[in-house]
Amino acid sequence: MTGKTAIVTDSNSGITQKMAGEIGVSVVPMPFVIDGETFYEDVNLSQKEFYEKLQSSAKISTSQPMVGEILKLWDSLLETHDSIVYIPMSSGLSGSCATAAALAEDYGGRVEVVNNQRISVPQRQSVLDALELAKAGKTAAEIREILEKEKLESSIYIMLDTLEYLKKGGRITPAAAAVATVLHIRPVLQIQGEKLDAYAKTRSEKQGRAIMMDALKKDIDNRFGGMDQVRIYVAHTDREEEAKEFSQMIQAEWGVPVTYCDPLSLSIACHTGPGALGIGCAKRIDQYL
């Protein structure tokens, strides 16, 4: 990766190390502590291994990237680049953004940390947008300003298969999880900016998909100016075939392509568990190019 501005993100974006090399960005792997041992997403912890450990009742917690590793990467990139745009996960879901912003203060304006309050597929889109903005000649500071200005122009809805992992994380009570299990209730969650919140409840896969599509369609029409102004994404936790089927259904019903169909980042999967299915969008930034 050479040029005036280097683009860096973390693995919460869903960008793999292989993909990073192909598109010309750097990805900081997120650490996970599993039964007391530290693993790094997509380095020595694959999606398959993560779900195996999750379903075996291993004790899993998330952690921030090591400060030393971030500084080492930045210093290396600044040997061949004038500046860096760093796009970490949402500040509302982790302290890593604030940590990075504090570290950047020692770099005399050469490192711009973007607090654009995104995670997963919209965060990935921010990285791709940053690449396009850099190619268009925008400075690191200008890229940060644009991404932060557009930060809330995205939306995600996720249907869970189980409440077990929300219960483990203390986000709902064991009693509420037990009742939902007995009644076969599947919650639909939403991510709008920095928060993961409840949106609706459903008792069937078909109804849940319809709820998510209806919710996102309203966002697209009312907030983003129509289908031609956004990119659509599908994401999942260990449900690749169902996610592909959902993508095809969306494309057939809405007449627009799904930009990509990806696994959700493991930081989200810790709370959702396997079997989650989601749909999201982010507004295009063509006006800045």
Side-chain angles (χ1 to χ4, degrees):
M1 182 168 53
T2 58
K4 295 178 67 175
T5 301
I7 309 301
V8 184
T9 188
D10 59 41
S11 58
N12 288 298
S13 64
I15 297 175
T16 64
Q17 297 295 328
K18 180 183 178 182
M19 190 188 306
E22 293 171 351
I23 65 177
V25 303
S26 296
V27 174
V28 176
M30 294 301 293
F32 292 81
V33 180
I34 304 177
D35 289 337
E37 185 178 354
T38 301
F39 294 85
Y40 294 89
E41 185 169 5
D42 196 39
V43 175
N44 63 346
L45 180 65
S46 68
Q47 288 263 331
K48 182 175 183 291
E49 291 166 336
F50 173 82
Y51 287 113
E52 287 174 353
K53 292 178 183 295
L54 191 68
Q55 291 173 291
S56 70
S57 299
K59 186 177 180 181
I60 301 177
S61 60
T62 57
S63 180
Q64 291 189 34
M66 295 292 290
V67 167
E69 292 301 312
I70 293 175
L71 296 180
K72 181 180 177 181
L73 175 60
W74 289 358
D75 291 342
S76 175
L77 289 171
L78 288 174
E79 291 179 4
T80 53
H81 294 78
D82 295 334
S83 57
I84 292 171
V85 174
Y86 183 45
I87 308 171
M89 72 182 291
S90 170
S91 60
L93 299 171
S94 169
S96 59
C97 183
T99 299
L103 296 174
E105 291 178 2
D106 293 333
Y107 282 79
R110 296 186 71 192
V111 178
E112 297 284 350
V113 177
V114 180
N115 181 13
N116 75 336
Q117 296 177 314
R118 294 187 182 187
I119 190 171
S120 188
V121 282
Q123 182 185 353
R124 173 177 169 175
Q125 188 59 55
S126 293
V127 175
L128 299 180
D129 289 343
L131 281 171
E132 290 301 311
L133 291 166
K135 288 176 185 176
K138 303 293 185 184
T139 67
E142 288 171 334
I143 293 170
R144 176 184 58 77
E145 289 170 7
I146 291 168
L147 294 183
E148 290 185 350
K149 183 178 180 182
E150 299 293 318
K151 65 185 179 182
L152 299 181
E153 301 300 315
S154 70
S155 181
I156 296 177
Y157 295 91
I158 309 168
M159 176 176 56
L160 306 192
D161 186 52
T162 174
L163 287 167
E164 179 65 25
Y165 300 93
L166 285 180
K167 181 186 75 175
K168 283 183 179 180
R171 291 178 177 263
I172 62 169
T173 65
V179 169
T181 300
V182 170
L183 297 178
H184 303 291
I185 291 173
R186 295 182 175 190
V188 175
L189 309 180
Q190 62 177 332
I191 300 177
Q192 306 291 344
E194 62 183 22
K195 292 184 177 181
L196 177 67
D197 289 321
Y199 177 75
K201 297 174 183 176
T202 179
R203 291 191 180 182
S204 73
E205 173 94 4
K206 182 178 180 181
Q207 184 186 33
R209 292 186 185 197
I211 287 171
M212 291 192 294
M213 288 181 67
D214 181 63
L216 192 70
K217 181 70 164 55
K218 287 178 180 176
D219 287 343
I220 292 169
D221 291 342
N222 299 331
R223 291 172 52 196
F224 306 134
M227 287 289 177
D228 61 341
Q229 298 298 310
V230 299
R231 291 182 174 90
I232 309 293
Y233 322 106
V234 168
H236 64 94
T237 56
D238 205 26
R239 293 194 71 188
E240 186 173 358
E241 290 307 313
E242 291 90 342
K244 287 179 180 178
E245 178 191 326
F246 192 29
S247 296
Q248 292 167 358
M249 186 176 84
I250 292 164
Q251 290 179 174
E253 190 162 326
W254 287 354
V256 295
V258 170
T259 301
Y260 38 77
C261 176
D262 274 353
L264 280 164
S265 67
L266 298 185
S267 292
I268 295 179
C270 276
H271 301 297
T272 65
L277 189 64
I279 183 174
C281 74
K283 193 172 181 181
R284 295 176 179 271
I285 60 156
D286 300 345
Q287 69 270 31
Y288 299 104
L289 300 174

